[in-house]
Amino acid sequence: MPVNLLPPLPTALFAVPGVRLGTAMAGVRKPNQRDVLVMELAPGTQVAGVFTTNRFCAAPVQLCRRHLDLLGVAGGIRALIVNTGNANAGTGDDGLARALSVCRSLARHLAVEVQQVLPFSTGVIMESLPHERIEAGLPAAVSDLAPAHWAEAAEAIMTTDTVPKAVSRQVQLGGRTVTVTGISKGAGMIRPNMATMLGFIATDAAVAPGVLQALVKDAADLSFNRITIDGDTSTNDSFVLIATAQAGHAPIHGLNEGDGAVLREAVVAVAQTLAQAIVRDGEGATKFITVQVDGGRHEDECRQVAYAIAHSPLIKTAFFASDPNLGRILAAIGYAGLSDLEASQVDLWLDDVHVVTNGARNPSYLEEDGARVMRQSDITVGVRLNRGTARTTVWTCDLSTDYVKINADYRS
């Protein structure tokens, strides 16, 4: 079961003017489940994205980058096509041809150009994409297109997820109500650069050319690039931000003040909620863990320490067992790569329990206090390096026996 995470209520998801969504059951891997999503975008919609850094990036990622380089800033992207059940990664030129065939088929259905379609895939790596099944399911997905189908869309992109992930926000820009709605999928093979997931956020805000790419990168860095479940970076990570300019306000030219700052805050909030939902639905997760590191000289070293803690199997299994074996956290801080770190300056907390002071066990710390916190489903690990003013936050989960079972049986 996910950690304090409920399915989204369809009534709480706001339609985004300029976006229609349709799903289909194409039988990509399993029958009788939604596994194809089509998103149709109004003319003039801008699209920007960030993608995996894995050198074995999937064929659809390669095509997305190519099509966005041609048309994204110019507002020429008109559709997205997503399939689950097959990643189309590690498939070479044949994988590219199959992904392009899917784009070409959807382009015919929507009367747009093939380069105006962005493809996305998720699922098993190094298996041929059954593009004929996806293309056979496109008529049903296109006929299902409607502005309100965000909940169905969230369900259609799930793989090992147990809960669909979707959220909406509305803000006022230039006296107009602007909507920001997003969906994501992910539960395993989660590690930043990007975090292993698919994420799609759409808004009807009007954004000046060049600003949208900065916004999607900013949102990714503050959300999907702050989560880890198992430290594995996928071949298919994609996070896309869509702006339809349907709201009717003056275009946003910057993100640091006024309406630009309001829009940035809303997009980041949606992205962070989706990112945290991925961790809460981590494969076999029973604990949601926030790792906060402050007092660093710069954010990069805070991030190094945070991920050393968040990636450690020893720490994650201790959290699963509710065992306050907290020396493992000190060990992770010590090997995080800060060669000049003074251990005697470090402080450590579990929630409000002060565990370590000046690099050693706090004389007032009682193990029963640590055990009490470790039994909680939501836990905060606080580290203070006491060498500067920088800080960062990372979200992770425990590592359970169910994680092993889920991944051992993934292809069954």
Side-chain angles (χ1 to χ4, degrees):
M1 294 292 292
V3 183
N4 300 328
L5 178 67
L6 297 174
L9 294 174
T11 54
L13 299 176
F14 306 122
V16 177
V19 179
R20 299 200 303 160
L21 309 97
T23 64
M25 298 180 183
V28 175
R29 186 166 186 84
K30 297 179 181 179
N32 303 318
Q33 67 178 36
R34 289 188 176 96
D35 55 8
V36 169
L37 165 65
V38 170
M39 298 177 68
E40 182 188 41
L41 311 179
T45 296
Q46 286 192 65
V47 180
V50 287
F51 300 92
T52 182
T53 58
N54 193 307
R55 295 300 297 169
F56 272 98
C57 65
V61 171
Q62 297 175 53
L63 283 181
C64 275
R65 285 173 170 155
R66 190 180 304 170
H67 292 180
L68 281 172
D69 285 345
L70 286 172
L71 298 173
V73 175
I77 301 299
R78 293 296 311 281
L80 282 62
I81 170 70
V82 188
N83 76 268
T84 64
N86 185 294
N88 195 11
T91 50
D93 290 342
D94 179 68
L96 283 167
R98 290 169 183 257
L100 190 59
S101 178
V102 171
C103 292
R104 189 176 293 113
S105 181
L106 181 58
R108 284 196 298 267
H109 283 289
L110 298 180
V112 300
E113 300 297 323
V114 63
Q115 64 267 27
Q116 294 181 293
V117 178
L118 300 182
F120 303 85
S121 298
T122 182
V124 180
I125 296 170
M126 216 170 66
E127 292 186 0
S128 295
L129 182 74
H131 65 97
E132 301 94 340
R133 296 179 202 169
I134 298 171
E135 291 170 33
L138 289 180
V142 170
S143 67
D144 187 52
L145 287 169
H149 284 177
W150 283 95
E152 294 85 351
E155 180 185 335
I157 64 174
M158 293 168 61
T159 49
T160 58
D161 308 60
T162 65
V163 176
K165 301 164 181 69
V167 66
S168 282
R169 295 283 188 277
Q170 288 187 322
V171 295
Q172 294 294 310
L173 299 181
R176 303 295 183 98
T177 299
V178 171
T179 299
V180 180
T181 297
I183 59 175
S184 67
K185 63 79 51 182
M189 197 183 268
I190 301 293
R191 170 37 196 287
N193 299 318
M194 287 276 299
T196 303
M197 39 69 70
L198 298 181
F200 307 97
I201 295 179
T203 178
D204 55 340
V207 182
V211 174
L212 197 67
Q213 185 63 47
L215 180 53
V216 72
K217 185 180 184 305
D218 198 19
D221 286 343
L222 293 172
S223 60
F224 298 113
N225 281 343
R226 301 294 181 94
I227 64 175
T228 182
I229 289 175
D230 47 25
D232 275 7
T233 298
S234 162
T235 53
N236 293 61
D237 307 337
S238 304
F239 171 41
V240 170
L241 182 58
I242 298 161
T244 67
Q246 301 280 306
H249 61 84
I252 299 295
H253 288 275
L255 301 173
N256 295 324
E257 58 186 10
D259 284 350
V262 173
L263 177 63
R264 176 186 178 276
E265 182 179 1
V267 171
V268 169
V270 168
Q272 287 184 339
T273 300
L274 293 172
Q276 291 178 25
I278 289 173
V279 174
R280 290 186 180 278
D281 197 23
E283 290 168 344
T286 69
K287 310 282 177 67
F288 176 82
I289 303 160
T290 300
V291 182
Q292 296 176 336
V293 180
D294 65 22
R297 291 178 182 163
H298 46 75
E299 189 177 2
D300 284 348
E301 70 175 25
C302 293
R303 191 180 298 115
Q304 280 181 256
V305 172
Y307 276 117
I309 295 167
H311 287 154
S312 167
L314 288 176
I315 294 172
K316 292 159 81 70
T317 50
F319 275 107
F320 172 62
S322 299
D323 176 17
N325 189 355
L326 303 178
R328 294 177 174 182
I329 299 179
L330 287 189
I333 297 169
Y335 66 60
L338 278 61
S339 59
D340 60 346
L341 177 68
E342 291 290 342
S344 61
Q345 295 180 336
V346 174
D347 285 72
L348 172 67
W349 284 263
L350 279 184
D351 281 3
D352 60 345
V353 177
H354 196 172
V355 179
V356 170
T357 182
N358 298 325
R361 182 179 178 129
N362 185 348
S364 64
Y365 169 67
L366 299 176
E367 185 154 315
E368 51 263 40
D369 291 332
R372 169 180 54 80
V373 176
M374 295 287 272
R375 287 192 294 269
Q376 298 171 182
S377 57
D378 279 66
I379 301 168
T380 298
V381 175
V383 177
R384 184 165 298 158
L385 301 177
N386 289 309
R387 55 198 253 134
T389 59
R391 61 178 58 196
T392 200
T393 300
V394 165
W395 299 286
T396 190
C397 61
D398 58 339
L399 193 61
S400 72
T401 52
D402 281 345
Y403 176 87
V404 177
K405 293 176 183 177
I406 290 167
N407 282 282
D409 295 338
Y410 181 64
R411 298 206 308 163
S412 301

